Amino acid sequence: MDRLRTGVVSGLLSSVADVVLGRSCAGCDEPGIALCEECRRALRARPRLRRSVDLGDIEPGLHLPVACSLEYRGAVRQVLYRFKDHRIPHLARPLAPALAASIGFAAEHAGVECTDTTLVVMPTRRSTAKRRGFDPLGSVVAAAIGEQPVADVSTPLVDTRRAGTSKALGVWERQLATAGAFSVRGQVRGPVRGQRRGRGRLPDGPVILVDDIVTTGATAREAAATLIVAGVHVVAVATIAGTP
Ligand SMILES: [Zn+2]
């Protein structure tokens, strides 16, 4: 490698290292602080309903409220990207209040008590989990339930999508790509007999489906539909952030 390229690469590596080690802000790269005051303000939870997920094809008239607390742009987007792709576990803590607020807001909107509600955490694709070596959403959930106690946290969903990114797909392609994306652990899709087999593992009470970011809502819809067909009482979706 020539000297110029070596310089560029080592410059990039050192700026990533500065963020990882908390020597510069994860949201805006300001040196000397892990998360600056302005980016902390951007992470302040403002819970709202993002959209609803239409499940009328499964149960007539069924719409699930989707709550998020942050706008997925600017510093929020950068912090989430670094948290997940640069594997910076300490960022779970500043992201947790937003998820806790969304869970509370979603429960209130669905007319259920958080303490009666089980969180079902959206699964990570196996290939992605392996590459990252840690579970970003799981660690935010763990921190969030310290602030917003719930009945239980459960991970019955399995992501059966093939490896590959959905980031480049449009709305329609994404809907197609998510059809049949999930299955329920220990259950066989389709025949009633197969569905009953794993029922003991599934939550009985109300369930809020939890994800990091909501964009089109297609992934949440597919996951919720899979749970509902398996007999789970899904009442809402709660996410950290939503696209504006
Ligand atoms: Zn900053």
Side-chain angles (χ1 to χ4, degrees):
M1 209 184 288
D2 61 55
R3 216 181 309 159
L4 182 65
R5 274 176 63 201
T6 312
V8 169
V9 170
S10 67
L12 279 175
L13 286 178
S14 75
S15 74
V16 170
D18 283 344
V19 172
V20 172
L21 296 172
R23 290 193 299 231
S24 66
C25 175
C28 69
D29 290 347
E30 188 182 302
I33 188 159
L35 203 56
C36 77
E37 196 49 47
E38 204 172 312
C39 292
R40 269 184 202 283
R41 258 202 304 278
L43 293 181
R44 202 172 291 160
R46 296 171 192 82
R48 66 191 172 92
L49 289 184
R50 166 62 172 47
R51 59 166 75 232
S52 71
V53 167
D54 182 0
L55 288 154
D57 54 338
I58 291 177
E59 220 176 288
L62 180 61
H63 285 266
L64 296 182
V66 181
C68 68
S69 291
L70 303 174
E71 295 278 335
Y72 186 58
R73 64 180 179 205
V76 170
R77 190 183 172 125
Q78 186 68 356
V79 168
L80 274 164
Y81 163 70
R82 279 172 159 166
F83 173 54
K84 289 160 60 173
D85 282 53
H86 292 174
R87 301 183 282 269
I88 309 178
H90 69 74
L91 292 174
R93 178 65 48 191
L95 289 166
L99 185 60
S102 297
I103 293 164
F105 197 75
E108 196 183 320
H109 210 81
V112 297
E113 295 290 334
C114 277
T115 46
D116 298 335
T117 302
T118 297
L119 303 181
V120 166
V121 184
M122 195 72 109
T124 311
R125 262 178 249 202
R126 219 166 291 166
S127 55
T128 312
K130 212 170 169 184
R131 179 165 51 81
R132 285 183 182 146
F134 93 115
D135 173 13
L137 181 56
S139 57
V140 182
V141 170
I145 60 173
E147 301 179 26
Q148 182 64 268
V150 295
D152 201 2
V153 177
S154 170
T155 53
L157 286 172
V158 181
D159 191 330
T160 51
R161 285 177 293 184
R162 283 187 305 251
T165 179
S166 67
K167 277 178 192 160
L169 300 179
V171 176
W172 172 242
E173 285 106 325
R174 206 179 281 210
Q175 271 169 9
L176 277 179
T178 51
F182 302 98
S183 62
V184 170
R185 221 180 285 280
Q187 290 201 321
V188 178
R189 268 174 158 251
V192 173
R193 229 162 37 144
Q195 284 180 12
R196 279 193 185 136
R197 217 178 297 150
R199 180 150 284 182
R201 298 160 182 238
L202 295 173
D204 287 330
V207 159
I208 292 178
L209 181 64
V210 172
D211 202 357
D212 49 3
I213 302 150
V214 59
T215 51
T216 63
T219 314
R221 203 205 93 89
E222 186 62 28
T226 305
L227 290 168
I228 291 167
V229 168
V232 178
H233 181 42
V234 185
V235 295
V237 180
T239 70
I240 300 168
T243 47

